[in-house]
């Protein structure tokens, strides 16, 4: 790493490379179009637990929605087999109310991951200070029929099929994680 490289997130000296999108969302072999950005160790590692949570959550939901009862990705299955704490966290996210089961997401963690990935993708386009002004996410399963048709017509930049794709339009970046979550961030330059 060049000494004059600055962390794209905080401006300190960069000592590592940050992958955008986060590698935990992708399968090996990693795609050739995986971006890397200069980052300090604190920023690079600072997102790790939040990324892991979002990664496991998306696969956990995918396994339930596909009625497989099994995780769709081997690396998630292995992590759950070795971490009772992680499995407990996912199970405790399940809530029952009025005979309906739903997830109570750790929203702050998810939003931090969305903003980190949005910022990284936007940094590669604008090469300067970008400010994320608002971020949100929704499960793709709750889109209306009309919204699904609009979604399918967009010209996505695919980083890895069924794992991560994005599009930038009108000061908004959209990206999809694991074909489960549609993430949205508005920004200004």
């Amino acid at each position: 790493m060049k000494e004059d490289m600055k962390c794209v997130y905080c401006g300190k000296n960069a000592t590592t490379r940050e992958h955008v999108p986060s590698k935990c969302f992708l399968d090996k072999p990693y795609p050739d179009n995986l971006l890397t950005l200069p980052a300090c160790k604190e920023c690079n590692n600072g997102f790790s637990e939040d990324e892991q949570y979002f990664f496991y959550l998306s696969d956990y939901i995918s396994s339930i929605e596909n009625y497989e009862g099994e995780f769709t990705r081997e690396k998630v299955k292995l992590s759950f087999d070795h971490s009772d704490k992680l499995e407990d966290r996912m199970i405790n996210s399940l809530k029952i109310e009025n005979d309906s089961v739903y997830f109570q997401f750790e929203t702050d963690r998810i939003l931090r991951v969305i903003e980190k990935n949005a910022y990284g993708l936007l940094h590669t386009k604008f090469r300067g200070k970008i400010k994320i002004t608002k971020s949100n996410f929704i499960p793709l399963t709750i889109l209306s029929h009309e919204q699904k048709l609009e979604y399918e017509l967009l010209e996505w930049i695919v980083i890895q099929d069924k794992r991560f794709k994005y599009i930038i339009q009108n000061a908004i970046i959209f990206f999809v994680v694991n074909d489960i979550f549609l993430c949205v961030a508005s920004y200004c330059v």
Side-chain angles (χ1 to χ4, degrees):
M1 180 79 43
K2 294 180 184 177
E3 283 191 37
D4 62 342
M5 296 291 286
K6 298 293 181 197
C7 175
V8 297
Y9 299 106
C10 72
K12 293 180 184 174
N13 286 333
T15 55
T16 66
R17 303 289 295 170
E18 175 73 354
H19 294 91
V20 178
S22 307
K23 283 186 357 183
C24 67
F25 296 137
L26 307 172
D27 291 329
K28 289 182 180 179
Y30 297 121
D32 293 335
N33 59 345
L34 184 58
L35 306 169
T36 60
L37 301 170
C40 69
K41 189 174 183 176
E42 293 82 17
C43 287
N44 195 340
N45 293 338
F47 292 108
S48 294
E49 285 188 18
D50 295 337
E51 290 170 332
Q52 294 265 314
Y53 170 78
F54 194 25
F55 161 70
Y56 294 125
L57 178 66
S58 68
D59 206 74
Y60 194 71
I61 291 172
S62 178
S63 71
I64 292 169
E65 288 184 355
N66 293 325
Y67 305 105
E68 295 172 6
E70 295 270 334
F71 292 105
T72 58
R73 300 167 76 187
E74 189 63 26
K75 64 182 177 180
V76 176
K77 183 182 180 318
L78 290 172
S79 294
F80 266 77
D81 288 347
H82 293 95
S83 175
D84 293 335
K85 185 178 176 183
L86 183 58
E87 186 172 9
D88 289 345
R89 175 176 235 136
M90 291 297 116
I91 290 169
N92 289 332
S93 294
L94 287 169
K95 304 296 177 191
I96 301 173
E97 188 176 294
N98 300 328
D99 296 328
S100 294
V101 177
Y102 66 94
F103 273 95
Q104 184 172 1
F105 301 119
E106 293 180 38
T107 305
D108 290 348
R109 288 181 149 220
I110 295 171
L111 294 178
R112 280 191 295 270
V113 173
I114 290 169
E115 290 170 9
K116 174 250 180 182
N117 280 278
Y119 186 87
L121 291 165
L122 292 166
H123 181 81
T124 62
K125 180 174 180 164
F126 295 109
R127 297 279 179 218
K129 289 287 183 190
I130 298 120
K131 181 177 180 192
I132 303 296
T133 56
K134 190 174 182 181
S135 59
N136 210 340
F137 65 97
I138 59 169
L140 287 172
T141 55
I142 67 169
L143 293 179
S144 69
H145 178 70
E146 292 79 20
Q147 290 170 321
K148 286 179 184 172
L149 290 175
E150 282 181 46
Y151 164 84
E152 291 169 3
L153 292 175
L154 294 173
E155 293 183 29
W156 296 94
I157 297 168
V158 178
I159 301 294
Q160 192 173 67
D161 191 41
K162 298 184 189 218
R163 295 293 175 231
F164 195 97
K165 60 186 174 183
Y166 73 99
I167 188 169
I168 301 170
Q169 290 184 332
N170 305 321
I172 299 173
I173 183 167
F174 302 87
F175 59 90
V176 178
V177 174
N178 209 19
D179 274 350
I180 296 293
F181 287 109
L182 174 62
C183 305
V184 181
S186 57
Y187 65 92
C188 61
V189 182

